[in-house]
Structure formats: C-alpha cells, structure tokens
Amino acid sequence: MGLLEDKVVVVTGAGGGIGRGIALLLASEGASVVVNDLGASVHGEGASASAAGKVVDEIRAAGGNAVANGDSVASWESAQRIIGQALDTYGRIDGVVNNAGILRDRFFFKMDPDEWRAVIDVHLNGTFYMSRAAAPHLRAQQSGAYVHMTSTSGLIGGMGQANYAAAKMGIAGLSRSISIDMAQARVRSNCIAPFAFSRMIGAIPVKDEAQAARVETLKKMDPAMVAPLAVYLLTDAAADVTGQVFAVRANEIFLMSQSRPLRSVHRPEGWTPQSVADHAIPALRANFYGPDMSKDVFSWDPI
Ligand code: NAI
C-alpha cells in the first residue's frame, strides 16, 4: 500500500524538472495525479501539450494513474479548469503542488513592467489561483494539503531576480496565510525552497564567479531529490505540519521558516534618530541579513 492511496493531487509545471519528480513519486505512492504543464519555454513563451503527456506516459507505464493538462496556471479561469479536471476525472482533490515557474532575469534597474508582470503572474498569481480554485473542495471535505515552491532567491535575495524574488517571498507569505485561514478546515500549507539542476537553473545568466560556482554545485543535485519531502507533506502523516518553509539541498533538509524577532532593543524613554544610530543599530547589526547569509546557504558542497 502506498502512502497516498485514494488521494488525488494536482502538480503544476510537472512536465519536467522538480515537478516531474514529484508527480512520479506521488503516483508510485498510489496517488492519482493531474500532471499540468503549459510546455512553455523557460521564459514563459509558447506552449506544448507534449511535456505533460510524456510524464503521464511514464506514470502509466509504471502502473500508476495520471492525466495530462496543458493549461496555464497564470489565469483564474484556467486554474479553475485544472482543478475541474481533477474533479471530473477522479471525483476529488486532496492536494495541490504549486511548482510551475518561469524566469525573466534582469537587473532591477533595467527590469521592464512586462518582465515583472510575467513572473508575478505565473508564480505568485498562479499559486493564488490554483490554491483558491481547490480551496472550497478542500474545506468541504475538511482535509487536504498545499505544497508551494518558494526559493532562496526570495528568502535571501537573488541577483537580477527582483521579479522572481518578490514572487517567491510573496508565495511564502501566501502559504502562511493559507495555513492560518484553512487550519480550522484541517487543510495544511507548506513551502519548499528547492535546490536542483533543472532547465530553469541552466538558463540563469551567470553574472559572476560566485554564481558560476553555485551553478556547478547545483549540477550535482538531481531534481528528483526534492520529491520525498514534497510527497511526505501531502500525506496524512504530516497532519500537524503546516505554515513551514523547508529547503531541500541534495540529501539535506533544513528549516527556513522566517519572520520571528531575532533580537530586540528597548528604551523606556523612547527613541530619537540619534539614539537609534548610537544604540539600536549597533546592537542589532550582528543579526543583519547580509551577504554572509547567502554565503552560508551556497558555499557548500553536497558531496
Ligand atoms: P523547470 O523549468 O524544469 O520546470 C518548470 C515547469 O513549469 C516547466 O516544465 C514549464 O513548462 C512549466 N510552466 C511554466 N509556466 C507555466 C504555466 N504558466 N502554467 C503551467 N506550467 C508552466 O524548473 P524547475 O527547476 O523544475 O522549477 C520548479 C519550481 O521550483 C519552480 O517554481 C522554481 O521557481 C522552483 N525553484 C527551483 C530551484 C532549482 O534549484 N531548480 C530553486 C528554487 C526554486
């Protein structure tokens, strides 16, 4: 018996990379899977039904249940159709993995509104549309789980990725809010910040030596390594796990749940700009979120 027997899960952007790995592992654990993928380029251009279809063929060849969907997550109507396909085909929906994504990298000072909007539309708006489309069904059945892909690019910042970082940090906030608003319905929401060598990472323009070194490190990470945590988060065994941000870096899983007071300073008489400069900032500076943070996360060898 698989861990997800009788469950129905939609995985977006599952025609390749991390999403494909999640869809295959879900099916091998007994879930019926809606394999969604627009089949677009890494920049979000074009569409091809074959991406999702190939993964469905792989799942069926291994004896699993899956159907393909070639809609875009980036509109309210098409998100409704994707969830609708799960309901029409399998009669229920238990989980949504918001994994679809594109990149339009450009330094912030050169980024145009179309580059901003395209990335926000797929990642942040797409995650909202998909999650919202499933919400009434999950609430009615009083169970279900969301897994959303966020990124260290958002959690700690990424060069040339203002659009993507904003979307990914937005997804982390959205996930926490979903975990709060849906807690009474026993519906859970968690994020994963993955590390994996995929088509998307291969497309990032390398801007400096540090980034080139990161890409070399990522090449050692198979996208399939992200799947076990994602699949676990969709099982009933994760019933008390919600509102968290995990990272998966090869065989390592670590917690990146954010936003707790790191350190505080207090003055009974209140503050002036000068006393902030003299007392507050020196005390808080040790915990600043600086370039060292990204060094901690990236200067690491998975082997
Ligand atoms: P990928 O490019 O291999 O997969 C993304 C998939 O999304 C593609 O198959 C693409 O066709 C599909 N897609 C794009 N726009 C779509 C739309 N509007 N509707 C439906 N499908 C659409 O990339 P990868 O690496 O597998 O990324 C998966 C997720 O993980 C993304 O959300 C990405 O931002 C995130 N991520 C990946 C990291 C990595 O190290 N690979 C790092 C941090 C986050």
Side-chain angles (χ1 to χ4, degrees):
M1 273 287 277
L3 289 171
L4 287 158
E5 253 11 276
D6 302 325
K7 294 215 194 278
V8 178
V9 182
V10 172
V11 187
T12 70
I18 294 168
R20 170 179 169 272
I22 294 171
L24 292 173
L25 190 58
L26 280 170
S28 76
E29 288 291 349
S32 299
V33 185
V34 176
V35 178
N36 158 266
D37 204 297
L38 180 61
S41 78
V42 80
H43 302 297
E45 285 130 3
S48 149
S50 68
K54 273 190 200 148
V55 174
V56 167
D57 290 345
E58 279 184 86
I59 289 174
R60 289 187 180 155
N65 292 322
V67 284
N69 175 287
D71 276 314
S72 171
V73 299
S75 89
W76 174 256
E77 292 74 22
S78 53
Q80 297 283 336
R81 278 200 302 272
I82 300 168
I83 298 299
Q85 188 173 350
L87 296 167
D88 292 347
T89 312
Y90 298 116
R92 57 185 291 126
I93 174 82
D94 299 283
V96 178
V97 180
N98 284 306
N99 168 83
I102 61 167
L103 289 178
R104 294 268 176 100
D105 283 19
R106 183 93 63 196
F107 279 120
F108 166 68
F109 45 86
K110 294 183 180 167
M111 187 172 285
D112 67 38
D114 286 342
E115 289 164 334
W116 171 264
R117 266 193 297 265
V119 169
I120 298 287
D121 272 350
V122 175
H123 289 276
L124 182 56
N125 293 341
T127 298
F128 168 73
Y129 297 141
M130 289 298 303
S131 303
R132 177 66 182 78
H137 308 285
L138 302 182
R139 260 190 97 207
Q141 77 195 17
Q142 294 277 297
S143 72
Y146 297 102
V147 175
H148 321 275
M149 293 300 150
T150 183
S151 171
T152 53
S153 179
L155 301 172
I156 66 178
M159 190 191 284
Q161 296 196 316
N163 47 5
Y164 181 74
K168 289 306 203 188
M169 199 58 156
I171 287 170
L174 171 62
S175 176
R176 272 208 69 83
S177 288
I178 292 173
S179 77
I180 294 165
D181 286 357
M182 302 281 283
Q184 258 196 325
R186 286 187 298 225
V187 176
R188 299 171 297 100
S189 180
N190 291 285
C191 284
I192 298 178
F195 291 70
F197 193 72
S198 65
R199 176 182 83 159
M200 184 177 283
I201 298 300
I204 295 177
V206 173
K207 299 169 198 99
D208 58 22
E209 270 178 40
Q211 213 172 16
R214 276 174 213 165
V215 170
E216 284 310 305
T217 304
L218 280 172
K219 278 187 183 165
K220 297 169 192 159
M221 297 180 210
D222 186 330
M225 290 168 131
V226 180
L229 175 65
V231 170
Y232 159 78
L233 289 170
L234 293 160
T235 66
D236 293 338
D240 62 348
V241 181
T242 191
Q244 303 306 313
V245 179
F246 300 92
V248 179
R249 193 167 56 173
N251 287 322
E252 185 183 21
I253 294 172
F254 55 91
L255 199 61
M256 294 276 293
S257 310
Q258 300 284 318
S259 298
R260 64 180 86 183
L262 292 172
R263 191 170 188 144
S264 93
V265 283
H266 176 261
R267 293 202 121 199
E269 69 274 35
W271 295 92
T272 63
Q274 193 59 53
S275 66
V276 169
D278 293 343
H279 302 289
I281 298 303
L284 300 177
R285 188 179 292 283
N287 293 85
F288 273 13
Y289 217 50
D292 283 358
M293 177 65 196
S294 90
K295 223 169 73 203
D296 280 357
V297 173
F298 290 111
S299 63
W300 163 89
D301 192 338
I303 300 302

